[in-house]
Amino acid sequence: MPVITIGLLWHSLSSDNLGVGALTESQIAICESAARTAGVRLKFMVFGTQGGSRYAPEGADITIGSRISIKQMLTGRSPFLRELELCDLVLDIGEGDSFADIYGNKRFLFLIASKIAVILKGKPLILSPQTIGPFKQWWARKLSAAIMQRCARVFARDTLSADYLRALGVTKNIDEVIDVAFRLPFTRPLAQGGDRIRVGLNVSGLLFSGGYSGGNQFGLTLDYPGLMRRLLSAWATRPELEVWLVPHVVPDDFPVDDDRIAIRSLAAEFPNVSVAPSFKSPSEAKSFISGLDFLTGARMHACIAAFSSGVAVVPLAYSRKFEGLFASLEYTWVADGAKLTTDAAFEKIEQGLAQRVALTVAIERGNAIAREKLTRYERFLAEKLRANVESVHSKAGAAYVHSQVKP
């Protein structure tokens, strides 16, 4: 069976942000399914952020690539560049939403430099489903558009990103699908006894801290810590509810982003609530969430875990990635933390909890849309893998013929 090596750029199987890990595990699952259709065997080389966790899908042939260093690339001493030579094609998922300049120029330049490296190596570069932009600086818009026009394909994971691509002038090689984490494998736990409603509150340590820089970095129009406390005050005293605090970003060395620190603080104030484990993998987190009856949270991949496993969910948005993705699924039960007051967000979440049945009906429709979109993405990958094998065979045949020609 032909073997193809796929470079997974800006993926991670050790990130303490389980959302990035969910993208990677899901991407590998989709690629393996496409490979079976194409009749090939895959090897993966993963390039991206390293964290303190360790998880990987069983049975996959995976190598963790070298650190990406702009300095090493400029001086010609980059193991990353040498390892790119081993890849037949590269899938770049940009950690889901990092292909933007809103997180600072340093992060943006890392994303850009790695893409340029792939293109200069002559490897097909596919931008896997992700949020594209925004690019607030004119030079970032021009540079990003120029690079994307040289990609084999650019997949937006929501309608807003697809529209943004067209506004940048990138039109000929784009498609709109959905976040690959809708395909994250999970195991639903056995049904719990009793009649209590299992409610999950995913607390974002980042928003609880006011953002990376503090001082309401994301421009929320509500009091996020106050909203968390108000929800717990309302729920912890209701005997029909079993309330769980659920983390989804668990770094040991980055307290401003650690959901567990905020959760410990809240658990001390509300001792009647339960605290979910510090999950060891994205699939473990999704498996736990799939056993809930309702979830609200500000970590998008915690919300996707709920949605894709059929659990009623009210995402608490802090950026346009929420609006774009869930609007693409025709799902309106989103509380926008950058538009709503604390009172309005509280009421929206309470209404969602009360109308769980209506939410699950809407989620069922949304998951049907997601399945169709990801089937289209998988079909593209299968065709790309098949074309890669045919290209190799064609070149080998041409080389053989050339070698038989007598001078």
Side-chain angles (χ1 to χ4, degrees):
M1 185 177 290
V3 179
I4 293 178
T5 300
I6 296 180
L8 297 180
L9 185 57
W10 298 113
H11 294 67
S12 178
L13 288 170
S14 63
S15 175
D16 299 310
N17 183 331
L18 297 182
V20 177
L23 293 171
T24 307
E25 285 196 11
S26 305
Q27 179 86 285
I28 290 171
I30 293 170
C31 287
E32 292 282 19
S33 180
R36 289 190 291 272
T37 300
V40 302
R41 185 164 65 85
L42 297 181
K43 293 183 178 182
F44 297 97
M45 189 165 290
V46 181
F47 304 101
T49 305
Q50 299 298 309
S53 301
R54 292 292 181 272
Y55 40 84
E58 291 185 9
D61 188 338
I62 299 169
T63 300
I64 303 302
S66 298
R67 183 174 64 93
I68 300 171
S69 165
I70 296 178
K71 182 178 179 180
Q72 288 177 347
M73 284 192 276
L74 291 175
T75 57
R77 294 182 287 106
S78 170
F80 165 64
L81 292 179
R82 291 194 295 272
E83 290 164 357
L84 278 181
E85 294 282 2
L86 304 175
C87 300
D88 296 298
L89 68 152
V90 176
L91 305 181
D92 178 349
I93 209 160
E95 293 189 334
D97 68 345
S98 291
F99 191 25
D101 64 358
I102 59 173
Y103 297 112
N105 288 339
K106 182 177 179 180
R107 189 170 177 179
F108 172 73
L109 290 174
F110 265 101
L111 272 288
I112 283 291
S114 61
K115 290 170 175 56
I116 292 173
V118 176
I119 292 170
L120 291 179
K121 286 291 182 181
K123 305 296 181 178
L125 176 61
I126 298 164
L127 298 197
S128 291
Q130 59 191 280
T131 300
I132 305 293
F135 306 107
K136 295 187 175 182
Q137 302 165 101
W138 68 267
W139 60 269
R141 289 194 294 272
K142 286 188 173 296
L143 183 56
S144 300
I147 288 172
M148 286 188 286
Q149 286 165 344
R150 288 164 175 78
C151 290
R153 199 72 170 167
V154 178
F155 287 95
R157 69 178 178 183
D158 59 75
T159 302
L160 289 178
S161 291
D163 290 343
Y164 191 71
L165 281 168
R166 296 185 188 97
L168 290 175
V170 183
T171 58
K172 295 181 179 179
N173 60 339
I174 68 171
D175 194 2
E176 178 197 333
V177 286
I178 202 68
D179 195 294
V180 297
F182 279 82
R183 289 277 291 273
L184 179 65
F186 72 102
T187 302
R188 195 181 301 277
L190 296 175
Q192 302 291 315
D195 299 327
R196 298 181 76 193
I197 302 166
R198 290 167 58 84
V199 175
L201 179 61
N202 163 238
V203 181
S204 167
L206 183 61
L207 296 188
F208 208 84
S209 302
Y212 295 113
S213 57
N216 192 21
Q217 177 185 357
F218 297 104
L220 299 184
T221 53
L222 49 75
D223 174 4
Y224 182 78
L227 176 61
M228 297 298 98
R229 292 186 171 95
R230 185 169 174 186
L231 288 168
L232 290 173
S233 294
W235 292 346
T237 56
R238 291 172 57 180
E240 77 276 17
L241 301 184
E242 179 183 314
V243 183
W244 287 86
L245 296 172
V246 182
H248 210 258
V249 174
V250 291
D252 290 328
D253 57 353
F254 196 20
V256 72
D257 204 23
D258 192 338
D259 297 351
R260 297 168 301 180
I261 293 176
I263 283 173
R264 282 197 292 269
S265 174
L266 291 171
E269 296 180 43
F270 300 92
N272 291 341
V273 305
S274 300
V275 177
S278 181
F279 304 114
K280 298 295 188 283
S281 73
S283 289
E284 184 181 320
K286 183 174 180 177
S287 297
F288 178 90
I289 290 170
S290 73
L292 299 173
D293 298 300
F294 177 82
L295 177 87
T296 187
R299 296 295 191 181
M300 193 170 81
H301 281 97
C303 296
I304 289 175
F307 195 105
S308 59
S309 60
V311 174
V313 59
V314 177
L316 180 57
Y318 66 90
S319 77
R320 74 174 174 89
K321 66 182 180 181
F322 285 82
E323 178 189 354
L325 186 135
F326 289 103
S328 300
L329 300 174
E330 301 175 5
Y331 190 71
T332 59
W333 283 95
V334 177
D336 193 336
K339 294 180 181 178
L340 298 179
T341 64
T342 304
D343 288 345
F346 175 81
E347 290 301 324
K348 181 93 173 187
I349 294 167
E350 280 282 65
Q351 289 170 12
L353 175 59
Q355 299 182 43
R356 296 185 308 282
V357 174
L359 268 63
T360 55
V361 171
I363 285 169
E364 186 176 351
R365 290 196 302 267
N367 277 323
I369 296 171
R371 283 192 295 272
E372 185 279 326
K373 289 175 180 285
L374 286 182
T375 296
R376 196 165 69 246
Y377 174 61
E378 182 181 317
R379 190 180 300 123
F380 170 86
L381 292 180
E383 292 170 356
K384 200 70 179 174
L385 294 174
R386 194 179 291 116
N388 185 276
V389 172
E390 292 171 355
S391 174
V392 170
H393 286 172
S394 175
K395 290 177 182 177
Y400 174 78
V401 170
H402 180 74
S403 69
Q404 300 305 304
V405 177
K406 294 181 180 180

